[in-house]
Amino acid sequence: MLKIACPGCGVRNYTEFRYAGDANKVRPAHQVRDLGEWYDYVFLFDNPKGPHREYWQHVLGCRQWLVVERDTATNTVQGTRFARDGGGE
Amino acid sequence: MRFLGTRYSAAALVRHALSGAAWPPAWRSPQPKSSYDVIIIGGGGHGLATAYYLAANHGVTNVAVIERAYIGSGNVGRNTTLVRSNYLLAGNTQFFEYSLKLWEGLSQELNYNVMLSQRGQVVLAHDPLQLDGLARKGNIMRLNGIDAELLDRGEVMRMLPYLDYSPRARFPILGGMLQRRAGTVRHDAVAWGYARAASGFGVDILENCEVTGFERNGSRVTGVKTSKGSIAAGRTAICVAGHSSVLAAMAGLRLPIESHLLQAFVTEPIKPFVDHVISFGAELFYISQSDKGGLVFGGHIDGFNSYTQRGQFPRVQTVAECAVALMPSISRLRLLRHWGGIQDMTPDGSPFICRTPLEGLYFNGGWCYQGFKATPAVGACFAHTIAHEEEHPLVRHLSLERFRQANGHDEYGLGNWTYKQ
Ligand SMILES: Cc1cc2nc3c(=O)[nH]c(=O)nc-3n(C[C@H](O)[C@H](O)[C@H](O)COP(=O)(O)OP(=O)(O)OC[C@H]3O[C@@H](n4cnc5c(N)ncnc54)[C@H](O)[C@@H]3O)c2cc1C
Ligand SMILES: [Zn+2]
């Protein structure tokens, strides 16, 4: 089973977390009116087969948002940290 | 030109039995040529069907299907084989009915028994709102000339007596909708039948050959790089199921797609018991019985993007819970096998069959749960799109640009990225 080491709670089964998508995406500034930028942000994905930086929320634990580096071809997790410490976007 | 091999028939069977001669391979295994009019990347059901209809409907026979592994190794050989045409949205209703009509004539057309079994599918309703929804869908189907019957609780009980109707049932069954023409198809036979028929028209099927990049001339795609060298193509078509984003990246494109793992399950074989296809209404869960006797079932994707083709155990558990909630009598059956396949997931749950921003490059992908039943219609409509350099009328709503135009095509009405809800 995929395990994620929450920096707050320790190693837990992935079922305690909620997957929340690509953490490399940069949200356009709130006042951006170019719909193309929003389209990119909402709809387009690199979706790589290999290393991927992604958000997970520890919904059944400390409820913190995490940035997890995982290889999508093997499910090997390379690193986990709190999203609030940066490393997302 | 057609059917370079032996035509299958009762007479051929007798002839071969008496002479003891070996049957010729069902399709040729040629060396790659240096160029083709059309190259199709991906030898799954969709790629092979597209090659077949290019030849059969459009006379385009200088075609190669390039498959990185062997024919049938992808989702075409991993799915749960359900075919049906009970879709609600304009566009979907007609497309999936076209597909079911093609299934109904496919064994004859291909001279290959794909074992279509129109055993009927019952979708269950567990609350009045769901039953109203099924009535609405059924009416839309009937207005389109598609068979649909609304069942009340008593009718479902007579038809499917082994479901849980007790007062303790977690999700009481109020009724359901029956499509009699829905059923199952032998999935491997679909790959082999299309491969054989396409090969018979002269299409080259190149197995164990991986596409690793595209040849470009400005914004035009002029061929592919493969593990066996470069091959030129007038037109190039992507048909790689869960790997659409990987191929798109080779062409410098990003897609509205995430790749996800879907599991399927089969139990040890038992005597004939489940005569129909049954879809649970309280969760995404469906079950049928194979000719070998195993109960075949499936549920949701695992829930996070993945290319591993290896399912996570918690999903085995939740799917088994659905099975037992619906049919308590199977609780002691043992699971024989379970496996996974990688499928594209799109924001609205609908696929893409279209041109791309690059000239000479065509795209069929984004097939979430519903790609197997669509196989013949995908083949016919994608072949048309490639041959005419313009989308077939039945797939005009399936363009890559639809999200930019706020034109998502969301059959289940669950909003953006169905799986994330
Ligand atoms: C577990 C499971 C159950 C399902 N159940 C159903 C169902 O009951 N009903 C239904 O309608 N649909 C179902 N589906 C969906 C359906 O199986 C797929 O949508 C459909 O098979 C996809 O089209 P395909 O047959 O062409 O895919 P595939 O058979 O996967 O073909 C794609 C091919 O592309 C090849 N490829 C990938 N990359 C490259 C490359 N670089 N170079 C060359 N070749 C490449 C792959 O090896 C593969 O053979 C299910 C899917 C899964 C995983
Ligand atoms: Zn935690």
Side-chain angles (χ1 to χ4, degrees), chain A residues 1-2 14-15 18-19 21 36 39-40 42-49 52 54 56 70 72-75, chain B residues 68 243 245-246 254-259 303-308 312 314 347 400 403-404 416-417 419-420:
Chain A
M1 174 160 9
L2 174 62
Y14 83 95
T15 44
R18 172 178 172 273
Y19 171 68
Y39 168 74
D40 271 26
V42 176
F43 291 111
L44 296 187
F45 291 82
D46 290 332
N47 188 26
K49 183 176 187 172
H52 191 233
E54 58 204 19
W56 290 76
R70 176 179 61 99
T72 62
T74 60
N75 275 344
Chain B
R68 69 170 173 180
H243 280 72
S245 295
V246 177
R254 295 167 80 219
L255 301 174
I257 285 175
E258 271 188 8
S259 298
F304 56 91
N305 59 337
S306 169
Y307 287 92
T308 60
Q312 298 286 329
L400 268 173
F403 301 109
R404 199 188 287 283
N416 194 13
W417 295 104
Y419 77 87
K420 290 182 177 168

Side-chain angles (χ1 to χ4, degrees), chain A residues 4 14-21 55-60 65-66, chain B residues 303-304 419-421:
Chain A
I4 295 174
Y14 83 95
T15 44
E16 289 191 10
F17 302 79
R18 172 178 172 273
Y19 171 68
Y55 290 120
W56 290 76
Q57 188 191 5
H58 198 179
V59 282
L60 299 182
W65 283 76
L66 311 178
Chain B
F304 56 91
Y419 77 87
K420 290 182 177 168
Q421 311 285 312

Side-chain angles (χ1 to χ4, degrees), chain B residues 283-410:
Chain B
E283 249 295 355
L284 178 50
F285 173 80
Y286 47 91
I287 188 165
S288 66
Q289 187 167 17
S290 78
D291 293 337
K292 281 190 283 188
L295 298 183
V296 181
F297 51 90
H300 272 291
I301 51 178
D302 272 9
F304 56 91
N305 59 337
S306 169
Y307 287 92
T308 60
Q309 275 194 164
R310 189 169 302 173
Q312 298 286 329
F313 183 71
R315 182 57 78 216
V316 183
Q317 215 161 2
T318 52
V319 171
E321 281 165 4
C322 285
V324 175
L326 189 62
M327 299 164 58
S329 58
I330 65 171
S331 67
R332 280 154 66 210
L333 268 187
R334 277 166 298 191
L335 210 56
L336 196 62
R337 285 184 293 130
H338 72 116
W339 62 92
I342 304 303
Q343 60 183 21
D344 292 349
M345 292 300 290
T346 63
D348 59 356
S350 288
F352 307 100
I353 303 179
C354 54
R355 289 170 284 181
T356 69
L358 298 178
E359 279 172 76
L361 186 66
Y362 298 80
F363 179 52
N364 161 61
W367 286 97
C368 307
Y369 295 92
Q370 71 287 56
F372 178 67
K373 63 184 68 65
T375 303
V378 167
C381 294
F382 197 35
H384 175 108
T385 304
I386 298 164
H388 293 274
E389 300 188 290
E390 187 179 37
E391 284 74 13
H392 185 283
L394 279 175
V395 300
R396 289 211 179 118
H397 57 292
L398 302 178
S399 82
L400 268 173
E401 288 299 295
R402 66 176 181 266
F403 301 109
R404 199 188 287 283
Q405 298 149 352
N407 249 340
H409 203 72
D410 183 358

Side-chain angles (χ1 to χ4, degrees), chain B residues 136-324:
Chain B
R136 174 166 172 244
K137 188 192 277 193
N139 282 331
I140 288 172
M141 289 165 64
R142 292 173 74 125
L143 284 171
N144 281 277
I146 304 168
D147 72 301
E149 293 164 50
L150 202 65
L151 308 176
D152 63 23
R153 179 176 159 94
E155 287 167 312
V156 177
M157 283 174 94
R158 275 194 295 283
M159 210 168 161
L160 313 172
Y162 43 81
L163 302 185
D164 190 356
Y165 302 99
S166 72
R168 289 176 44 247
R170 176 69 182 80
F171 298 101
I173 295 167
L174 289 196
M177 188 177 73
L178 167 67
Q179 183 180 26
R180 289 189 194 273
R181 288 165 58 242
T184 61
V185 174
R186 172 150 191 228
H187 50 9
D188 300 313
V190 175
W192 300 333
Y194 274 122
R196 171 172 171 270
S199 176
F201 273 120
V203 170
D204 282 358
I205 295 168
L206 309 175
E207 293 176 87
N208 300 307
C209 181
E210 181 167 1
V211 170
T212 54
F214 291 95
E215 298 290 355
R216 293 272 289 266
N217 182 0
S219 66
R220 190 168 183 91
V221 169
T222 56
V224 295
K225 298 183 174 74
T226 78
S227 51
K228 295 185 177 170
S230 285
I231 309 176
R235 292 168 202 179
T236 304
I238 299 177
C239 258
V240 295
H243 280 72
S244 296
S245 295
V246 177
L247 269 289
M250 294 176 194
L253 301 174
R254 295 167 80 219
L255 301 174
I257 285 175
E258 271 188 8
S259 298
H260 284 256
L261 188 145
L262 181 64
Q263 301 192 48
F265 309 85
V266 63
T267 67
E268 59 190 325
I270 52 172
K271 287 186 176 172
F273 173 44
V274 179
D275 301 329
H276 306 83
V277 178
I278 306 166
S279 295
F280 199 21
E283 249 295 355
L284 178 50
F285 173 80
Y286 47 91
I287 188 165
S288 66
Q289 187 167 17
S290 78
D291 293 337
K292 281 190 283 188
L295 298 183
V296 181
F297 51 90
H300 272 291
I301 51 178
D302 272 9
F304 56 91
N305 59 337
S306 169
Y307 287 92
T308 60
Q309 275 194 164
R310 189 169 302 173
Q312 298 286 329
F313 183 71
R315 182 57 78 216
V316 183
Q317 215 161 2
T318 52
V319 171
E321 281 165 4
C322 285
V324 175

Side-chain angles (χ1 to χ4, degrees), chain A residues 6-10 12 16-17 58 61-64 66 82:
Chain A
C6 174
C9 313
R12 299 294 178 88
E16 289 191 10
F17 302 79
H58 198 179
C62 60
R63 298 199 61 81
Q64 292 298 301
L66 311 178
F82 288 125

Side-chain angles (χ1 to χ4, degrees), chain B residues 44-46 67-68 75-76 79-80 82 211 369-373:
Chain B
H46 291 190
E67 166 56 46
R68 69 170 173 180
N75 289 353
V76 69
N79 63 73
T80 40
L82 308 186
V211 170
Y369 295 92
Q370 71 287 56
F372 178 67
K373 63 184 68 65

